[in-house]
Amino acid sequence: MKRRHFVLASLGGGAALTVGWAVLPTRQRLEPAQPLPTAPGQQALNGWVKIGADDRVTVVMAKSEMGQGVHTGLAMVLADELDADWSQVVIEHSPVDKIYNNLATVVDGLPFHPDDDGTLKQLAGWLTAKAMREVGVMMTGGSSSLKDLWLPMREAGASARAMLVAAAAAAWGVPAAEVRVQAGVLSHTSGKRARFGDMAAAAATQALPDAPVLKTAAQFTLIGKPLPRLEAAAKATGQAVFGIDVVLPGMLYATVTMCPTLGGKVKSLDGAAALKLPGVKQVLAVDGFHGGTAGVAVVADTPWHALQAIKAVAVTWDEAAPAATFSSAQALAQFSQALDSEDGFAYFSTGGVQAAMATAARTVSAEYSAPFLAHATMEPQNCTVLFKDGRATVWAPTQVPGLARRAAALALGIDAELVEVKVQLLGGGFGRRLDVDFVGQAAAIAKAVAQAGSAVPVQTFWTREEDTRHDFYRPAAVSRFKAGLDAGGRVVALHNVSAGPAIVPQMLARLFGLPKGLLNQGPDKTASEGAFDQPYEWPAARIAHHTVDVPVPVGLWRAVGHSHQAFFKESF
């Protein structure tokens, strides 16, 4: 074939494959790439549930528990379809795998108005969900956990139930339709009975059903019932293990002080005085990771010794960073100036606001502002890392285990497949633990300890002060409103434009290395949500946001834009 014919044929084939991929449903979310690890006597029936010979039903959890009750809610969804005995249900965290990627959050983050049910929105959502199944991230955020896993958890429970029924039917020589399941027991009218544990091994040899039959809402026995939280008793008795509660044999503790100027570095340090204090093992400089700031770490045998020794480190900071001469007051002034000269990206526009405003009998104007805010999670940032024999285990209170694994691997200089992440209970997340700066930092400290001859677990923890100084903050913002009213006081037009940093470009830059400047040119729904997506029917309106970059890192937040934009909108 001539070269041009080959190129055209290749392009045509590629286009056909792309179209074919686009119209197919999202790939299955039941079977992981690698079989789940199992304990003796335990069988994995799919990527979400394991059943033991002791009748214990283990629900595999891909979401982080940070007080929102998601572990209990998702376990209820699967256990209901399985018809499990709720008293036998326990949970364990999942490994990192594509079937656990969060599809709902990214789809919900597309910059469409909630009332928009058009073809473009549906197509964008369809394609985004398919893409996130393949290249997305495991994530707990956006109030999406039950929404994201409602169907996969139900299908997992129903599939496992069908496999248990098929195993029982084969063992008893009866039709599968005659086998009943209730509270972890399989039965037949002939009097034959078996508990889940009795049939688990045989069920594991059954084929995964192509289309498991799901219950109707009227058939639910657990969903909607007021069941106790699975972790409530452990929390009430103090037995629950949060990230900062991890204790391992031979563990050392590290605490850090980071440059007071965001983005600053260590110019010089003298750890001699600190090294003379009780229990101190090591003093070292540590880089900033994934948008974090560089600093100094002290490693000691107890948290108290580390906290006392960090005060004795003499450090000179290199504060030649953009944030060195920047203040919150400057940020708000810069945002107001942007509103004087820029009209922003319109997230919502209807009715021709300029013409409608010209007909107004009078207008009302106001300007609102909100400051940067730290997340202030109850549990400060922490992470425990064991780096030994070229492999690593990470114990972390994280909302993104896959990204945490990647951050640790990059800091350690090893492949991500050589890192195991054990997700702990989170003492609050609110979006702060969607970032992984503290994970990379902890891994780097553990590597330094290992290189010094101590391949032991190292828990790095921040003080409350360091956590507050080195957060990825809720964006500060300024929002300007103008409403036109007719002679009767009715609204005829609304113009609203806000200014402030955009979160998503910053997070994509620090987590994935994407160019922030380029990303800032596009829409970020989190910047304007709470303003453009409220359920008001304006006769004419234009609601926009102007992205202004400042040297203060911002991050995802509980309710994200709603926490300030909805306040502005409702106040006006």
Side-chain angles (χ1 to χ4, degrees):
M1 296 173 66
K2 292 182 179 180
R3 182 182 301 169
R4 64 176 178 272
H5 292 158
F6 176 78
V7 171
L8 289 172
S10 299
L11 289 174
L17 287 173
T18 301
V19 171
W21 175 84
V23 299
L24 289 173
T26 302
R27 202 154 60 94
Q28 63 85 19
R29 298 180 70 187
L30 290 186
E31 292 186 284
Q34 299 295 327
L36 289 175
T38 55
Q42 193 180 53
Q43 305 292 331
L45 300 190
N46 52 58
W48 300 93
V49 61
K50 298 187 283 190
I51 297 177
D54 59 356
D55 299 324
R56 187 70 57 89
V57 174
T58 300
V59 178
V60 178
M61 201 60 61
K63 304 297 183 183
S64 301
E65 179 60 70
M66 47 190 160
Q68 79 278 40
V70 67
H71 280 184
T72 303
L74 289 171
M76 288 169 65
V77 171
L78 188 148
D80 202 322
E81 290 286 357
L82 180 59
D83 276 319
D85 178 352
W86 181 248
S87 67
Q88 296 284 351
V89 174
V90 297
I91 63 162
E92 70 176 39
H93 270 280
S94 71
V96 175
D97 191 275
K98 290 181 179 180
I99 68 167
Y100 307 122
N101 286 351
N102 188 316
L103 312 189
T105 290
V106 183
V107 172
D108 287 347
L110 296 173
F112 292 99
H113 194 280
D115 291 344
D116 181 354
D117 292 319
T119 302
L120 178 60
K121 179 181 178 180
Q122 294 177 23
L123 178 61
W126 174 269
L127 293 176
T128 299
K130 285 178 61 62
M132 289 304 101
R133 164 62 176 81
E134 307 305 328
V135 298
V137 297
M138 291 177 62
M139 173 173 58
T140 306
S143 301
S144 66
S145 292
L146 280 162
K147 180 177 183 178
D148 182 54
L149 295 183
W150 170 254
L151 185 58
M153 282 294 205
R154 291 187 66 194
E155 289 178 340
S159 294
R161 181 183 187 276
M163 294 163 73
L164 287 162
V165 166
W172 298 338
V174 300
E178 295 180 5
V179 178
R180 298 289 177 262
V181 188
Q182 184 177 9
V185 176
L186 300 136
S187 63
H188 185 257
T189 53
S190 64
K192 292 184 171 65
R193 289 169 55 87
R195 300 193 61 80
F196 278 3
D198 301 328
M199 287 293 171
T205 66
Q206 299 289 324
L208 194 71
D210 290 330
V213 179
L214 303 181
K215 290 184 177 182
T216 65
Q219 294 173 313
F220 291 155
T221 57
L222 296 174
I223 295 172
K225 302 298 187 293
L227 299 177
R229 292 262 290 267
L230 289 174
E231 83 283 9
K235 286 180 176 177
T237 60
Q239 294 174 304
V241 178
F242 294 82
I244 209 163
D245 296 324
V246 170
V247 177
L248 300 165
M251 190 163 79
L252 296 177
Y253 298 84
T255 195
V256 294
T257 182
M258 291 164 279
C259 182
T261 297
L262 296 171
K265 301 177 182 178
V266 176
K267 188 173 184 179
S268 65
L269 73 89
D270 182 354
L275 286 167
K276 294 177 182 178
L277 295 175
V280 176
K281 306 295 184 183
Q282 205 166 339
V283 178
L284 65 146
V286 60
D287 289 335
F289 292 86
H290 302 285
T293 297
V296 173
V298 169
V299 183
D301 57 358
T302 71
W304 175 253
H305 285 148
L307 287 168
Q308 295 309 300
I310 197 77
K311 302 172 187 176
V313 178
V315 57
T316 302
W317 300 109
D318 177 356
E319 300 186 73
T325 58
F326 193 75
S327 69
S328 294
Q330 286 176 286
L332 295 178
Q334 194 170 330
F335 301 158
S336 291
Q337 290 168 9
L339 295 181
D340 293 335
S341 58
E342 299 283 349
D343 214 19
F345 177 90
Y347 287 80
F348 181 77
S349 183
T350 187
V353 70
Q354 289 185 344
M357 197 73 75
T359 69
R362 68 186 182 97
T363 60
V364 179
S365 300
E367 184 172 295
Y368 301 86
S369 66
F372 294 105
L373 292 178
H375 292 82
T377 57
M378 182 73 75
E379 176 191 21
Q381 306 316 309
N382 67 90
C383 179
T384 302
V385 179
L386 171 61
F387 182 45
K388 185 177 182 180
D389 300 329
R391 306 183 68 90
T393 305
V394 176
W395 294 261
T398 178
Q399 294 175 245
V400 280
L403 293 181
R405 182 177 75 161
R406 178 175 174 269
L410 288 172
L412 295 169
I414 61 177
D415 292 337
E417 290 71 22
L418 300 176
V419 178
E420 179 185 6
V421 175
K422 295 179 179 290
V423 179
Q424 306 300 301
L425 290 174
L426 282 61
F430 321 127
R432 175 60 180 95
R433 289 181 162 104
L434 290 167
D435 272 287
V436 294
D437 53 314
F438 61 97
V439 177
Q441 182 190 73
I445 294 170
K447 181 178 181 179
V449 171
Q451 288 175 336
S454 299
V456 297
V458 182
Q459 182 180 99
T460 298
F461 65 95
W462 294 13
T463 63
R464 171 65 64 210
E465 293 84 354
E466 291 296 324
D467 197 3
T468 305
R469 293 186 190 116
H470 294 281
D471 205 333
F472 297 105
Y473 302 93
R474 195 282 304 272
V478 172
S479 187
R480 193 172 289 170
F481 289 83
K482 182 178 180 181
L485 309 177
D486 66 13
R490 290 179 294 270
V491 175
V492 297
L494 174 81
H495 185 266
N496 169 217
V497 60
S498 56
I503 297 171
V504 172
Q506 288 200 23
M507 292 200 69
L508 291 175
R510 62 180 177 252
L511 292 175
F512 301 104
L514 299 180
K516 184 175 66 174
L518 177 63
L519 292 166
N520 273 335
Q521 305 308 310
D524 175 1
K525 179 184 176 182
T526 68
S528 188
E529 63 183 1
F532 85 94
D533 51 1
Q534 296 298 320
Y536 295 107
E537 300 292 343
W538 308 108
R542 186 179 189 275
I543 302 171
H545 181 80
H546 179 63
T547 297
V548 181
D549 244 351
V550 294
V552 177
V554 294
L556 291 171
W557 184 269
R558 188 76 181 109
V560 200
H562 294 276
S563 72
H564 50 293
Q565 292 283 16
F567 172 76
F568 300 154
K569 171 64 65 65
E570 293 304 315
S571 296
F572 186 67

